[in-house]
């Protein structure tokens, strides 16, 4: 409970730094003062845990925390990398989700024993929730991490303007406050921070290019026949409207499920405009595969859906008793046995009633009267 | 029938034959509480589960605690009755009917709790229609319905000879009850063929009901233990729950015995030896439960893995510490002392111990359900839960409904089995023949 309270204190601090955070519209020609410029780039950042030459437009090292933040945007995607001086969790608060409110968008990352934890959360000032638990969606598109000497780096992408009301909505030419925090050693995000931003940091989203120059695209989804329990490939083909393949662009693959879109993976197009992911379905059935190209400054976004049929795995012919079949058989045997015994007891009760009637009939015939039961 | 037997039968039939005004007032009061609970449930049905204190983090509360508690005490009828019959413990005869009635009444109340916990009870059948065989919820549905039917049959089989006595002896009662006894006694006359069939059925169910009862509470525990939640992710939850169920069940029988002995004047049948023997059983179960508790908490505390340590911190010294230590001290340690020493092992001491056990075992179920759900699984902070007036009202109605059902059962059939207590004397009977006065030697 003590750590919980400490984390709440941190959140209040983060929230107070981030709010109020109504976007300050700044003319493109105006200077942005100390605001970190988020520059538009032709291609999205490569989320692989490393910093490529020219991958990000700008960066800034926060003197209070020592965290370096790298930023860029392309199309509707904001690419960010955070370099933390510690090995514990690192968090970025992105300001109010609604103009004038104190509800802020918080992104938390941690390396939990080799598993990268990426949490898209909303902070109401007194408690935080994962977006998905309050009717929103997890909008962190991709994450990757690597170690950097005594610290670690996490790269991720989020939409500039997602459809989720729990996320901050960025607009080109807008200036927004943000803050940073990290823990030096603990990957448990409920532990208090080692340091957090003490002053208001500002982030300015640069102007978007003239979209009239952008090309329209068409992505086509295709699948090979998939079998449950076996690896198969999902592919997407990205071309412009004149049919020329578009290389080196990210394509996202989703499956439509009862619980919404299930993120399957991300592939990057090759010289033929083809991107793919290897997918191993667990169960058979027919699903809808959704292939998404989010667009960049040069290309408009596009998406496509295709029906994906996953076949039952063929029987090996040897051991046919699957766990489900085993459980079903046990339940049927046990429950069937018990209810069979009940049926037998009921048959005995019916026998008792028949015997009682016979006894009454005999009794009545001896006495020459009928009807009433007697012991 | 010998005069003593006749007089005993009349004494046991007396509460069934005459429903005193005091009893009717008592029933009226209980019915009023149940009606208030029904009103609260109607509010919940109209407005949804938002009228409860349950939210997305703590999504189970009083209803599921009540469910586990009532299913727990329902074990006593089956297990105690079956075990004592199989071991031919003769002292069991006056108390088994009470235990079996507790089983049936608590099962009805307990089984209704998950339905009340559903925001949309009209979707109950979806458990069967869309249920997955791998789901512990489906197993629970199957095991509880199987146990309910088995317990009803078990209870009914032992009633049949007494129902025939009621059919023959109670002629001044209302027409409905006469019809009820006539139908339910299924023409029992005690004929050899009937006896043979009844004994065969009793033999089958006495053996069958044991694994069913154990499996039911094991499956109830799996609702928790099949998850990866801290505090629930345990391999010993099955036996731990079964031991806890028997523990609270025996305590319930002791409380019922004390109440019936007092109000129904059953001292002739329920004697200090019955309290004492059940007190030994309660003490044994107390020790077993302490063993399981130590095993559960010590192993987890020793490892103190991340989130488990957080939960344990809240139990040992945090927001749940008051509840936790009350349960350990008032529910386990104090009853153990009361039952262990001859000086305190009086009827009063035993009843006090049983009351403490039952009260704290209900708290224990609440603690198991709520503390784990309140423990954060994600860095979203601790969940909070406090039941609303709707939940308290429905809980009060559940307890009142249980007592009401039990009270009605005790007024519809003899709460001490007439034929079983008479049967106990059968081996002592010999054949006697009157000696003419003149031949009696002096």
């Amino acid at each position: 409970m003590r750590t919980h309270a400490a984390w709440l204190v941190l959140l209040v601090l983060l929230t107070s730094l981030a709010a109020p955070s109504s976007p300050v519209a700044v003319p493109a020609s105006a200077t942005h003062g100390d605001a970190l410029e988020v520059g538009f780039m032709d291609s999205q950042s490569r989320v692989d845990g490393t910093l490529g030459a020219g991958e990000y437009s700008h960066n800034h090292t926060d003197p209070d925390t020592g965290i370096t933040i790298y930023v860029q945007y392309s199309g509707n995607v904001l690419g960010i990398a955070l370099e933390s001086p510690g090995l514990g969790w690192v968090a970025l608060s992105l300001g109010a989700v609604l103009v004038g409110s104190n509800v802020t968008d918080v992104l938390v990352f941690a390396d939990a024993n080799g598993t990268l934890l990426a949490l898209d959360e909303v902070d109401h000032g007194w408690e935080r929730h994962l977006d998905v638990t309050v009717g929103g969606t997890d909008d962190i598109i991709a994450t990757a991490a690597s170690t950097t000497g005594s610290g670690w780096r996490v790269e991720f992408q989020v939409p500039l303007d997602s459809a989720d009301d729990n996320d901050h909505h960025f607009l080109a030419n807008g200036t927004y406050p943000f803050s940073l925090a990290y823990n030096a050693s603990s990957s448990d995000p409920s532990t208090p921070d080692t340091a957090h931003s003490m002053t208001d940091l500002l982030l300015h989203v640069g102007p978007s290019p003239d979209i009239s120059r952008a090309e329209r695209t068409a992505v086509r989804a295709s699948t090979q026949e998939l079998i449950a329990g076996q690896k198969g490939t999902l592919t997407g083909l990205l071309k412009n409207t004149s049919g020329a393949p578009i290389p080196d662009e990210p394509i996202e693959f989703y499956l439509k499920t009862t619980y919404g879109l299930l993120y399957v993976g991300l592939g990057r197009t090759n010289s033929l405009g083809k991107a793919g992911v290897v997918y191993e379905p667990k169960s058979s059935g027919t699903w809808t595969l959704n292939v998404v190209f989010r667009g960049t400054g040069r290309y408009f976004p596009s998406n496509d859906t295709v029906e994906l049929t996953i076949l039952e795995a063929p029987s090996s012919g040897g051991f046919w008793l699957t766990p489900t079949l085993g459980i079903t058989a046990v339940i049927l045997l046990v429950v069937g046995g018990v209810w069979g015994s009940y049926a037998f007891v009921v048959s005995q009760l019916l026998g008792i009633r028949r015997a009682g009637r016979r006894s009454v009939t005999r009794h009545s015939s001896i006495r020459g009267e009928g009807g009433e039961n007697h012991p | 029938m010998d005069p003593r037997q006749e007089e005993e039968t009349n004494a046991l039939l007396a509460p069934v034959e005459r429903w005193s005004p005091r009893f009717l007032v008592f029933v009226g009061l209980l019915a009023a509480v149940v009606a208030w609970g029904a009103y609260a449930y109607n509010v919940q049905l109209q407005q949804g589960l938002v009228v409860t204190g349950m939210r997305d983090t703590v999504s189970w509360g009083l209803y599921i605690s009540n469910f586990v508690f009532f299913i727990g005490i329902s074990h006593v009828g089956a297990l105690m009755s079956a075990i004592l019959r199989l071991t031919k413990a003769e002292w069991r005869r006056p108390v088994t009917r009470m235990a079996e009635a507790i089983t049936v009444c608590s099962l009805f109340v307990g089984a209704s709790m998950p339905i009340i916990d559903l925001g949309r009870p009209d979707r109950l059948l979806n458990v069967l229609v869309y249920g997955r065989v791998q789901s512990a919820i489906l197993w629970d549905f199957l095991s509880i319905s199987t146990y309910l039917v088995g317990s009803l049959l078990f209870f009914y089989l032992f009633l049949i000879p007494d129902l025939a006595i009621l059919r023959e002896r109670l002629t001044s009662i209302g027409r409905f009850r006469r019809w009820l006894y006539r139908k339910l006694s299924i023409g029992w006359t005690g004929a050899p063929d009937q006896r043979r069939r009844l004994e065969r059925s009793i033999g089958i169910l006495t053996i069958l009901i044991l694994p069913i009862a154990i499996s039911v509470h094991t499956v109830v525990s799996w609702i928790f233990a099949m998850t990866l939640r801290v505090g629930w992710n345990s391999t010993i939850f099955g036996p731990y729950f079964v031991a806890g169920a028997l523990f609270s069940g025996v305590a319930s029988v002791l409380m019922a015995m004390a109440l019936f002995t007092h109000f129904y004047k059953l001292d002739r049948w329920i004697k200090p030896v019955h309290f004492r023997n059940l007190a030994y059983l309660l003490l044994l179960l107390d020790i077993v439960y302490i063993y399981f508790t130590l095993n559960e908490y010590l192993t987890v505390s020793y490892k103190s893995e991340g989130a488990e340590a957080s939960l344990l911190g809240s139990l040992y010294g945090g927001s749940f510490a008051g509840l936790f230590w009350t349960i350990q001290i008032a529910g386990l340690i104090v009853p153990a002392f009361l039952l262990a020493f001859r000086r305190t092992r009086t009827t009063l001491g035993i009843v006090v111990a049983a009351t403490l056990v039952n009260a704290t075992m209900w708290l224990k179920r609440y603690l198991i359900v709520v503390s784990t759900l309140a423990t954060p699984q994600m860095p979203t902070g601790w969940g909070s839960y406090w039941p609303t007036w709707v939940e308290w009202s429905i809980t009060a109605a559940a307890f009142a409904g249980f007592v009401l059902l039990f009270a009605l059962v005790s007024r519809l059939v003899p709460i001490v089995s007439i034929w079983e207590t008479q049967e106990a004397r059968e081996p002592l009977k010999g054949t006697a023949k009157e000696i003419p006065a003149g031949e009696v030697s002096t």
Side-chain angles (χ1 to χ4, degrees):
Chain A
M1 290 300 277
R2 201 172 59 234
T3 56
H4 171 59
W7 178 235
L8 276 176
V9 170
L10 163 67
L11 283 173
V12 170
L13 278 168
L14 282 173
T15 306
S16 64
L17 286 171
S21 60
S22 51
V24 183
V26 180
S29 58
T31 57
H32 307 304
D34 293 332
L36 170 62
E37 180 79 6
V38 184
F40 174 85
M41 299 187 80
D42 277 346
S43 59
Q44 294 174 7
S45 58
R46 271 180 181 272
V47 184
D48 55 8
T50 60
L51 300 176
E55 187 176 356
Y56 292 94
S57 69
H58 296 84
N59 64 73
H60 171 74
T61 301
D62 176 21
D64 298 323
T65 60
I67 297 172
T68 303
I69 178 170
Y70 297 82
V71 290
Q72 67 112 282
Y73 86 101
S74 184
N76 184 37
V77 176
L78 177 63
I80 298 178
L82 297 174
E83 276 183 354
S84 169
L87 290 169
W89 59 261
V90 59
L92 168 66
S93 177
L94 282 173
V97 297
L98 288 172
V99 176
S101 81
N102 64 347
V103 180
T104 55
D105 185 11
V106 178
L107 301 168
V108 187
F109 302 90
D111 184 0
N113 299 323
T115 303
L116 181 57
L117 195 66
L119 307 171
D120 184 4
E121 300 185 331
V122 60
D123 184 348
H124 289 265
W126 62 93
E127 59 182 3
R128 284 190 305 153
H129 298 283
L130 285 170
D131 288 4
V132 291
T133 64
V134 288
T137 50
D138 180 358
D139 291 293
I140 300 175
I141 299 165
T143 50
S146 60
T147 52
T148 57
S150 61
W152 72 297
R153 176 193 305 122
V154 60
E155 277 191 292
F156 59 94
Q157 291 177 334
V158 289
L160 268 182
D161 188 4
S162 77
D164 185 354
D165 289 341
N166 300 295
D167 287 339
H168 187 78
H169 306 296
F170 294 99
L171 300 172
N173 286 336
T175 301
Y176 309 90
F178 73 97
S179 57
L180 299 160
Y182 82 102
N183 184 290
S185 56
S186 172
S187 58
D188 177 359
S190 64
T191 53
D193 63 80
T194 303
H196 58 262
S197 309
M198 301 299 288
T199 55
D200 228 351
L201 301 171
L202 290 171
L203 182 146
H204 177 262
V205 180
S208 59
D210 178 6
I211 60 165
S212 63
R213 289 189 294 121
E215 286 185 65
R216 298 202 173 272
T217 64
V219 65
R220 292 282 169 264
S222 64
T223 63
Q224 60 175 197
E225 193 171 75
L226 293 185
I227 297 168
Q230 295 181 16
K231 286 180 180 168
T233 309
L234 309 177
T235 52
L237 185 63
L238 181 66
K239 292 181 174 178
N240 61 18
T241 44
S242 57
I246 301 173
D248 203 27
E249 294 296 344
I251 305 286
E252 294 160 31
F253 296 82
Y254 298 88
L255 282 179
K256 278 186 182 170
T257 72
T258 318
Y259 305 104
L261 286 180
L262 171 74
Y263 176 70
V264 177
L266 179 112
R268 193 166 279 274
T269 54
N270 59 17
S271 58
L272 300 173
K274 198 171 179 181
V277 290
V278 175
Y279 175 53
E280 184 179 335
K282 287 191 173 172
S283 56
S284 60
T286 303
W287 316 94
T288 301
L289 175 67
N290 200 358
V291 179
V292 178
F293 171 57
R294 290 184 180 271
T296 65
R298 289 175 58 192
Y299 302 108
F300 278 103
S302 58
N303 67 76
D304 187 30
T305 57
V306 67
E307 198 171 79
L308 173 63
T309 303
I310 300 165
L311 304 173
E312 282 275 6
S315 169
S316 60
F319 184 67
W320 55 270
L321 192 65
T322 61
T324 305
L325 200 61
I327 293 171
T328 311
V330 168
I331 289 177
L332 283 178
L333 273 174
V334 172
V335 175
V338 170
W339 282 88
S341 304
Y342 289 172
F344 179 74
V345 169
V346 170
S347 77
Q348 294 302 302
L349 290 174
L350 293 174
I352 290 173
R353 194 171 69 168
R354 276 195 305 273
R357 281 184 181 153
R358 276 199 304 272
S359 163
V360 169
T361 310
R362 201 164 48 241
H363 194 74
S364 303
S365 62
I366 291 167
R367 294 200 311 178
E369 54 193 46
E372 199 58 37
N373 287 352
H374 290 282
Chain B
M1 194 182 282
D2 71 51
R4 187 184 162 203
Q5 198 167 307
E6 176 73 14
E7 197 269 326
E8 279 188 355
T9 303
N10 287 338
L12 287 173
L13 289 177
V16 183
E17 193 165 17
R18 289 180 300 279
W19 290 20
S20 64
R22 203 168 58 165
F23 174 73
L24 293 175
V25 169
F26 180 60
V27 165
L29 285 174
L30 292 172
V33 178
V34 173
W36 177 254
Y39 166 71
Y41 182 52
N42 186 49
V43 169
Q44 182 182 303
L45 276 181
Q46 298 296 323
Q47 299 178 28
L49 286 174
V50 73
V51 299
T52 69
M54 295 183 284
R55 291 294 182 270
D56 53 350
T57 46
V58 183
S59 52
W60 282 349
L62 279 193
Y63 301 151
I64 298 300
S65 308
N66 293 337
F67 162 67
V68 181
F69 176 77
F70 280 112
I71 296 294
I73 61 172
S74 78
H75 277 60
V76 72
L79 287 180
M80 203 182 97
S81 182
I83 290 170
L84 294 181
R85 279 177 212 284
L86 287 173
T87 54
K88 300 195 187 309
E90 285 301 314
W91 61 269
R92 74 174 194 273
R93 293 176 185 273
V95 296
T96 47
R97 170 81 43 90
M98 251 175 245
E100 289 151 13
I102 285 176
T103 292
V104 173
C105 300
S106 58
L107 260 180
F108 272 111
V109 176
S112 69
M113 284 294 133
I115 301 170
I116 290 170
D117 189 64
L118 290 176
R120 292 284 304 273
D122 53 304
R123 293 177 177 170
L124 178 66
L125 272 183
N126 287 358
V127 175
L128 282 180
V129 178
Y130 302 110
R132 299 182 70 221
V133 76
Q134 302 95 325
S135 163
I137 298 278
L138 186 68
W139 306 345
D140 219 33
F141 187 88
L142 279 175
S143 60
I144 289 177
S145 53
T146 303
Y147 184 45
L148 183 60
V149 172
S151 299
L152 277 172
L153 276 175
F154 194 63
F155 181 56
Y156 176 59
L157 287 178
F158 289 103
L159 275 182
I160 292 172
D162 278 2
L163 287 167
I165 294 172
L166 292 168
R167 179 191 67 202
E168 298 305 322
R169 302 286 288 267
L170 302 190
T171 50
S172 59
I173 57 172
R175 189 185 296 176
F176 171 72
R177 284 173 66 196
R178 272 188 315 204
W179 172 84
L180 193 69
Y181 295 142
R182 192 168 66 246
K183 287 290 173 196
L184 290 178
S185 60
I186 53 172
W188 177 263
T189 59
D193 184 37
Q194 289 182 321
R195 281 191 174 277
R196 189 173 46 78
R197 286 176 184 275
L198 185 68
E199 279 164 15
R200 187 187 293 156
S201 302
I202 286 174
I204 290 171
L205 273 189
T206 304
I207 293 169
L208 198 62
I209 206 77
L210 282 172
I212 294 174
I214 290 170
S215 71
V216 167
H217 220 63
T218 306
V219 173
V220 167
S221 80
W222 287 350
I223 292 279
F224 304 99
M226 289 289 178
T227 68
L228 282 168
R229 302 295 299 247
V230 291
W232 293 353
N233 182 17
S234 163
T235 56
I236 65 159
F237 253 34
Y240 194 22
F241 268 51
V242 171
L246 267 175
F247 188 36
S248 55
V250 171
S252 301
V253 173
L254 279 164
M255 288 171 71
M257 279 164 55
L259 290 170
F260 281 116
T261 308
H262 179 72
F263 288 108
Y264 284 32
K265 310 278 182 267
L266 297 180
D267 322 52
R268 196 186 310 179
W269 294 274
I270 299 173
K271 298 177 176 159
V273 66
H274 294 104
F275 282 96
R276 205 167 50 244
N277 286 349
L278 280 180
Y280 288 139
L281 187 56
L282 191 66
L283 178 60
L284 174 70
L285 291 165
D286 193 350
I287 293 164
V288 169
Y289 202 76
I290 289 172
Y291 163 72
F292 274 121
T293 304
L294 272 176
N295 191 52
E296 175 70 8
Y297 287 105
L298 186 65
T299 51
V300 180
S301 304
Y302 191 83
K303 292 174 281 188
S304 279
E305 183 270 331
E308 292 278 9
S310 182
L311 171 63
L312 291 173
S314 77
L315 293 176
Y316 295 161
S319 51
F320 294 108
L323 266 182
F324 180 80
W325 291 114
T326 301
I327 292 162
Q328 312 312 324
I329 295 166
L332 299 178
I333 308 295
V334 173
F337 275 101
L338 284 172
L339 299 170
F341 296 104
R342 190 193 295 262
R343 264 183 88 152
T344 49
R345 204 171 47 235
T346 58
T347 302
L348 178 66
I350 292 167
V351 173
V352 168
T355 310
L356 281 173
V357 166
N358 254 339
T360 52
M361 285 307 283
W362 182 83
L363 292 177
K364 170 81 179 182
R365 273 58 182 258
Y366 178 84
L367 191 69
I368 288 173
V369 171
V370 175
S371 66
T372 284
L373 290 173
T375 308
Q377 295 288 99
M378 294 281 187
T380 49
W382 280 73
S384 62
Y385 170 71
W386 187 250
T388 62
W389 71 269
V390 171
E391 289 164 284
W392 284 122
S393 301
I394 291 174
T395 298
F399 280 90
F402 169 71
V403 177
L404 179 62
L405 276 175
F406 199 25
L408 288 175
V409 166
S410 75
R411 292 286 180 161
L412 283 172
V413 294
I415 200 65
V416 170
S417 173
I418 296 172
W419 74 276
E420 284 191 276
T421 45
Q422 286 174 358
E423 191 184 61
R425 294 204 189 91
E426 290 297 326
L428 301 175
K429 285 184 181 173
T431 48
K433 190 180 163 190
E434 188 182 352
I435 304 170
E439 293 176 21
V440 179
S441 58
T442 50

